[in-house]
Amino acid sequence: MRKQVFYMQVQETNKMGIRPVFPLLMSMAFPPMLSMLIQALYNIVDSMFVAQIGEHALTAVSLAFPIQTLIIACAVGIGVGVNSYIARKLGEKKQDEANSAVLHGLLLALVGSLLFILLGIFGIPAFFKMFTSDALIYEEACAYTYICVFFCFGCFFHICIEKVFQSTGKMIFPMAIQAIGAIINIILDPIMIFGWFGFPALGVQGAAIATVIAQITSMAMSFFVLLSREHDVKVDVKHFHFHMDCIKKILAVGVPNACMNALNSFLVMGLNTILIGFSNAAVAVFGIYFKLQTFVFMPASGLTQGAMPLMGYNYGAGYHQRLHEALKYAISVTGIIMLCGCLLFEIFPTQLLGLFDANAEMMNIGVPALRIIGISFIPATFGFILPTLFQAMGLGLQSLIIFLLRQLIITLPLAFLFANWFGLYGIWVCFILAETTAAIVAYLLYLRIRKTDPILSRNWEAA
């Protein structure tokens, strides 16, 4: 009875429905933005250490990057589906359904990790044979990826629980857990790679071991916080009943989101296929770019993590004006982040490449690459935020359309054509064309939804 009263009080005083929108958005967004910045720093430091082994090691890790991205994409997809579902159910004052989503999400995380382990057993050697005939690069890429895939359960579980916390507006726990994991990773990287303090020097395998240790640590901490404290949702194993309808609704948002994020993997694989025809250095440069762009995109992604539950709750509660304000502020802040990233790539490309011990060939390729691709960050603002709104409303398909345009439909086909016509410069220009087109389509979809949706249409009339 006491627990029931507690949840009724939570529903009546949920901060996402009563506090001023901009400070609330920033208070919810800042922790994930900070943790994502730390994660981005890890990505860069990790590649800096690997680059010290040699260009072959950096190329091997760059070829493995799509598989790592695919694992994270599926884990985040499940987590986002849970996040959106819980936030909407809390807004609708349906506490039992929000509670049930936690265990359904964890079950999906378990299934996802097992599927990747099975795929890894049979698919990793064939995957890398498609991209390289260099025996050393092939061997190191396989060794690195086997470790990441076989221990991917740490990634799946900690991301799922992180999204549960975020769905209720609690951002400190995910920030702290992710930050601690990234810091552990940064500390262990040189120890495992170079053999410090008596450890054997494991090279790229050491980088993979450091990664999975950090992920498993984050998973253990996530479970501890989830099970040892009171939250706006709870894990109720005793009264749990499996509902396929809950799974379907989580996956209705989660699968499109996973596909959206997985497009990065297919994009990287496709572009690596094109770039390897130019040189190994071109593949290494593209790998460096993807690490560097996380320093821009991850803070923006952190903002969407704060915005999504806020949008989802107010959409579910029918608070159309608060939903509109959240959208406006999210676009403004993301635009500032993207502008800063663009300026960074335009002004300091040489210094950024120098962090990875880039040789003369890599500099010749990389400086114009960063400057051209950096322009695409500006239109990417809308490609980040409008799909977040669609996901918060449960419209996963619309989000998928935008990400398909950004990552696959435009970029890859044009890259194949432009590589033949304009060389490497043509490949980099494709990023600008893709982000601009996706931004225009996202805005047109938003206008269409806004005219017909019963919540957003009130916003349209008020405007």
Side-chain angles (χ1 to χ4, degrees):
M1 184 67 179
R2 189 178 303 170
K3 294 260 182 159
Q4 191 174 7
V5 171
F6 169 77
Y7 287 115
M8 290 177 64
Q9 290 173 341
V10 165
Q11 291 173 353
E12 294 300 323
T13 61
N14 194 302
K15 65 182 181 180
M16 290 189 285
I18 58 175
R19 284 181 53 186
V21 173
F22 181 69
L24 176 60
L25 172 64
M26 296 313 298
S27 68
M28 293 175 61
F30 181 74
M33 288 172 71
L34 181 59
S35 65
M36 296 295 264
L37 269 173
I38 295 172
Q39 185 68 29
L41 178 63
Y42 151 69
N43 286 332
I44 292 173
V45 172
D46 180 62
S47 292
M48 288 169 60
F49 286 131
V50 170
Q52 293 180 35
I53 303 173
E55 185 181 309
H56 67 279
L58 185 58
T59 303
V61 173
S62 296
L63 291 175
F65 184 70
I67 296 179
Q68 285 183 290
T69 304
L70 192 58
I71 292 171
I72 295 172
C74 292
V76 170
I78 292 170
V80 167
V82 173
N83 182 324
S84 176
Y85 186 83
I86 290 175
R88 281 183 281 123
K89 293 306 172 182
L90 289 176
E92 295 167 5
K93 308 297 188 285
K94 296 179 179 179
Q95 185 67 50
D96 290 340
E97 293 183 37
N99 292 341
S100 177
V102 180
L103 283 172
H104 282 89
L106 291 174
L107 180 61
L108 285 170
L110 175 62
V111 172
S113 59
L114 291 176
L115 285 175
F116 265 98
I117 291 171
L118 289 175
L119 290 172
I121 292 173
F122 300 105
I124 288 175
F127 174 82
F128 288 114
K129 284 179 181 177
M130 294 190 300
F131 296 99
T132 183
S133 58
D134 187 301
L136 181 58
I137 292 175
Y138 170 81
E139 180 182 342
E140 293 192 338
C142 287
Y144 180 90
T145 309
Y146 275 128
I147 295 168
C148 292
V149 169
F150 290 165
F151 294 93
C152 68
F153 61 87
C155 174
F156 270 92
F157 281 115
H158 99 75
I159 287 178
C160 181
I161 298 172
E162 169 188 303
K163 300 303 179 186
V164 170
F165 293 145
Q166 291 174 356
S167 71
T168 65
K170 291 185 177 178
M171 302 297 183
I172 297 298
F173 293 140
M175 179 197 73
I177 291 168
Q178 192 173 64
I180 291 172
I183 291 169
I184 289 173
N185 209 331
I186 291 172
I187 293 172
L188 290 180
D189 256 340
I191 295 174
M192 299 290 186
I193 292 172
F194 304 119
W196 292 2
F197 308 117
F199 280 85
L202 299 175
V204 294
Q205 293 183 62
I209 292 171
T211 296
V212 299
I213 289 175
Q215 290 173 346
I216 293 172
T217 302
S218 294
M219 178 194 74
M221 294 175 62
S222 298
F223 272 112
F224 175 78
V225 174
L226 179 66
L227 299 175
S228 65
R229 300 176 64 95
E230 292 282 4
H231 302 285
D232 294 354
V233 290
K234 64 177 180 178
V235 178
D236 190 357
V237 178
K238 184 177 179 181
H239 299 98
F240 174 73
H241 297 285
F242 179 81
H243 294 290
M244 182 54 69
D245 184 62
C246 182
I247 295 290
K248 289 179 180 177
K249 288 180 179 177
I250 290 172
L251 293 180
V253 173
V255 169
N257 182 273
C259 291
M260 287 184 261
N261 291 311
L263 292 176
N264 266 333
S265 296
F266 294 110
L267 176 67
V268 172
M269 284 187 280
L271 289 178
N272 279 342
T273 303
I274 301 170
L275 293 169
I276 201 73
F278 288 91
S279 67
N280 287 340
V283 175
V285 165
F286 187 58
I288 291 173
Y289 156 71
F290 246 89
K291 298 290 184 177
L292 289 172
Q293 59 95 18
T294 61
F295 210 71
V296 181
F297 283 9
M298 280 198 171
S301 179
L303 186 94
T304 66
Q305 291 178 27
M308 182 181 292
L310 178 59
M311 292 176 178
Y313 181 93
N314 286 285
Y315 179 77
Y319 299 156
H320 57 92
Q321 188 59 39
R322 291 178 61 81
L323 178 62
H324 175 74
E325 290 181 35
L327 175 63
K328 178 180 66 176
Y329 291 131
I331 289 175
S332 299
V333 176
T334 304
I336 293 171
I337 293 171
M338 292 299 180
L339 177 61
C340 292
C342 176
L343 293 175
L344 183 68
F345 273 47
E346 297 302 319
I347 299 172
F348 303 109
T350 303
Q351 291 83 349
L352 292 173
L353 292 166
L355 295 173
F356 301 88
D357 293 335
N359 56 33
E361 182 184 5
M362 292 170 66
M363 283 289 185
N364 289 334
I365 296 171
V367 170
L370 295 188
R371 284 183 170 150
I372 294 170
I373 299 175
I375 298 171
S376 70
F377 293 170
I378 304 300
T381 299
F382 295 95
F384 264 93
I385 298 303
L386 291 179
T388 300
L389 172 67
F390 301 153
Q391 291 173 37
M393 296 168 62
L395 304 175
L397 179 60
Q398 285 79 352
S399 293
L400 179 59
I401 290 171
I402 303 308
F403 278 86
L404 281 170
L405 289 172
R406 290 182 62 201
Q407 305 288 8
L408 196 65
I409 293 176
I410 296 175
T411 310
L412 267 183
L414 285 184
F416 276 106
L417 290 175
F418 286 12
N420 292 323
W421 297 345
F422 309 111
L424 288 173
Y425 289 95
I427 297 174
W428 314 137
V429 169
C430 293
F431 286 85
I432 301 174
L433 298 176
E435 293 289 5
T436 302
T437 304
I440 294 170
V441 173
Y443 185 67
L444 293 175
L445 280 174
Y446 166 70
L447 292 180
R448 180 179 178 183
I449 294 167
R450 190 176 181 179
K451 289 180 179 178
T452 58
D453 186 88
I455 304 300
L456 287 184
S457 60
R458 283 184 280 166
N459 229 3
W460 177 271
E461 293 164 5

